[in-house]
Amino acid sequence: MPLFNRRLAATTTTSSTPVVRDDAPQRKSTLFGHRNRSLSPSVASQDPSIPAARERVVNAEKKEKGADHALAVARTAVREARYYIKFLEKEAAEEARLAKIKQSQAKSISKR
């Protein structure tokens, strides 16, 4: 019974275990039977798409770094805007409190 690309050779009568002879050529394969198709260094240096792909990666990394910086700037702007809103709300509340005090003083003066 052949398993894993090996063929069973004729068994000898002197041995109780079968002799396995590998008649098939040696092949290295992956899980789905495909060979590793990486390019050799000489082929890789001649292929113009590889440097172009590397350049695209470098450009994408630069854009990502710029986007990260823009995100940090935007987050800082949002934080400052929220702080300013809280400042304005406190200021408005204080002005409203002072206006109530003035109004109550004005009422007490007009009653006299």
Side-chain angles (χ1 to χ4, degrees), residues 85-101:
I85 288 171
K86 287 180 182 180
F87 170 77
L88 290 176
E89 287 172 341
K90 286 180 182 179
E91 190 176 300
E94 179 66 17
E95 287 179 5
R97 186 184 70 81
L98 292 175
K100 276 187 172 180
I101 292 172

Side-chain angles (χ1 to χ4, degrees), residues 56-66:
R56 285 194 305 268
V57 168
V58 168
N59 289 338
E61 287 173 345
K62 286 179 184 178
K63 289 179 182 179
E64 183 181 23
K65 188 175 180 179

Side-chain angles (χ1 to χ4, degrees), residues 4-69:
F4 305 121
N5 292 332
R6 293 183 183 260
R7 295 182 191 159
L8 187 63
T11 59
T12 60
T13 57
T14 59
S15 173
S16 62
T17 59
V19 176
V20 177
R21 199 175 87 220
D22 190 4
D23 291 338
Q26 293 290 326
R27 292 186 294 175
K28 303 278 184 190
S29 63
T30 62
L31 180 63
F32 296 107
H34 298 288
R35 290 182 179 209
N36 186 2
R37 294 188 177 146
S38 64
L39 298 174
S40 66
S42 62
V43 174
S45 65
Q46 294 172 359
D47 190 357
S49 65
I50 293 174
R54 287 188 177 130
E55 186 175 340
R56 285 194 305 268
V57 168
V58 168
N59 289 338
E61 287 173 345
K62 286 179 184 178
K63 289 179 182 179
E64 183 181 23
K65 188 175 180 179
D68 288 343
H69 177 69

